[in-house]
Amino acid sequence: GPIVRRHRIPLPPPQEDQFYNIEHFNINIDIIFYARKYKIIDCDQFTRNFLRKMGFRLNPPAGRPDDPYTKKRQKILDSMKPLRPYERFDTLKQFLEHDRHVLRFYCVWDDPESMFDEPRELVLHYYLSDDTIDIKEITPANSGRVAVPLFLRRDKLPKYAPTGLYQPGTITRRTVLNVLGNLTGGRGRYILDNRKTGAVHQEFYRDSDLKIGAVINVWGRKIVLCDCDEFTKEYYRTKYGI
């Protein structure tokens, strides 16, 4: 809560019969409230303009004193060397900035292997909060097709590798450099490779890969992006100048 509540504060002795007013305040000075000394190091722009209009000459801002405890803790943290160099994957900033921001593209998939060989209309959603994609199929009435909830469930869409799809477990966030002992029973030890030598990096579709007229590969299916909504147009116009 507040250290000093709002009221008229008397001056320190021997002028305790008087009160603080606007003439007693300036930058880089010491003030005493009830035998406790405070130092004014700076003020906001409104206060600065107000005092200058009143005819006061403001002092230059003062530096903030260092906290001995914070400096000591930072020195200890800098000297620590973690045994397992875990990496931190911070996605909170992206989520907070783009939560509920979705790019919407209208697509067409020409399925040559279907019975009637007719194009199928799709709607692609790209979620900016976590770079995931889902696709829904637009099923017209009396089309003879069974309506399914999703054509592609929401997930990151990998780009089709030239050598085919990767096997499960090939792509991991962390690479184990060495394993010591027996991992069963909790007595084993392992060392992580912070340089990730030999790691397989898979590329996923990003917002920069999506544009009208582009053809994306959705697990072997060629899908053409034909149009998008107004929010998507404004996003690409603002971010990429398209």
Side-chain angles (χ1 to χ4, degrees), residues 30-79:
D30 295 333
I31 55 176
I32 299 177
F33 293 163
Y34 300 111
R36 180 173 295 179
K37 183 184 294 186
Y38 299 91
K39 184 173 184 179
I40 303 177
I41 59 175
D42 204 353
C43 63
D44 60 0
Q45 192 62 37
F46 174 80
T47 307
R48 192 184 304 272
N49 296 336
F50 181 81
L51 293 177
R52 286 177 178 174
K53 291 180 180 180
M54 293 293 293
F56 294 96
R57 178 175 295 181
L58 297 178
N59 301 327
R64 187 184 302 272
D66 297 330
D67 182 16
Y69 174 77
T70 304
K71 293 177 62 177
K72 183 178 179 180
R73 289 294 305 170
Q74 188 62 38
K75 185 178 180 181
I76 296 175
L77 293 176
D78 294 339
S79 62

Side-chain angles (χ1 to χ4, degrees), residues 42-218:
D42 204 353
C43 63
D44 60 0
Q45 192 62 37
F46 174 80
T47 307
R48 192 184 304 272
N49 296 336
F50 181 81
L51 293 177
R52 286 177 178 174
K53 291 180 180 180
M54 293 293 293
F56 294 96
R57 178 175 295 181
L58 297 178
N59 301 327
R64 187 184 302 272
D66 297 330
D67 182 16
Y69 174 77
T70 304
K71 293 177 62 177
K72 183 178 179 180
R73 289 294 305 170
Q74 188 62 38
K75 185 178 180 181
I76 296 175
L77 293 176
D78 294 339
S79 62
M80 294 177 60
K81 295 181 180 180
L83 299 178
R84 298 178 181 178
Y86 289 105
E87 293 184 3
R88 181 180 180 183
F89 300 94
D90 187 9
T91 57
L92 181 60
K93 180 176 182 297
Q94 179 182 358
F95 174 79
L96 294 177
E97 290 181 351
H98 299 289
D99 184 25
R100 292 180 293 182
H101 292 177
V102 182
L103 305 180
R104 180 179 290 105
F105 287 90
Y106 304 101
C107 320
V108 169
W109 172 42
D110 190 4
D111 187 9
E113 298 181 359
S114 63
M115 181 181 299
F116 303 102
D117 191 15
E118 59 180 354
R120 302 169 68 171
E121 298 182 6
L122 307 171
V123 177
L124 183 146
H125 295 143
Y126 184 93
Y127 298 87
L128 296 174
S129 59
D130 55 359
D131 300 324
T132 55
I133 293 176
D134 70 8
I135 301 178
K136 297 182 180 180
E137 182 179 359
I138 301 177
T139 306
N142 301 324
S143 62
R145 298 183 181 274
V146 179
V148 295
L150 285 176
F151 183 83
L152 177 71
R153 68 179 179 85
R154 179 177 175 180
D155 200 356
K156 287 190 175 183
L157 180 61
K159 295 183 179 179
Y160 200 77
T163 58
L165 300 178
Y166 295 103
Q167 296 296 326
T170 304
I171 302 174
T172 58
R173 281 192 170 187
R174 299 184 175 94
T175 306
V176 178
L177 182 63
N178 194 6
V179 179
L180 307 176
N182 187 9
L183 291 180
T184 59
R187 297 182 179 180
R189 298 292 184 269
Y190 63 93
I191 302 176
L192 295 179
D193 183 12
N194 57 347
R195 298 185 181 273
K196 294 185 177 181
T197 56
V200 179
H201 300 280
Q202 188 177 22
E203 294 185 1
F204 297 92
Y205 279 102
R206 305 294 301 272
D207 55 349
S208 57
D209 301 320
L210 305 179
K211 60 182 179 180
I212 296 179
V215 180
I216 62 175
N217 194 326
V218 181

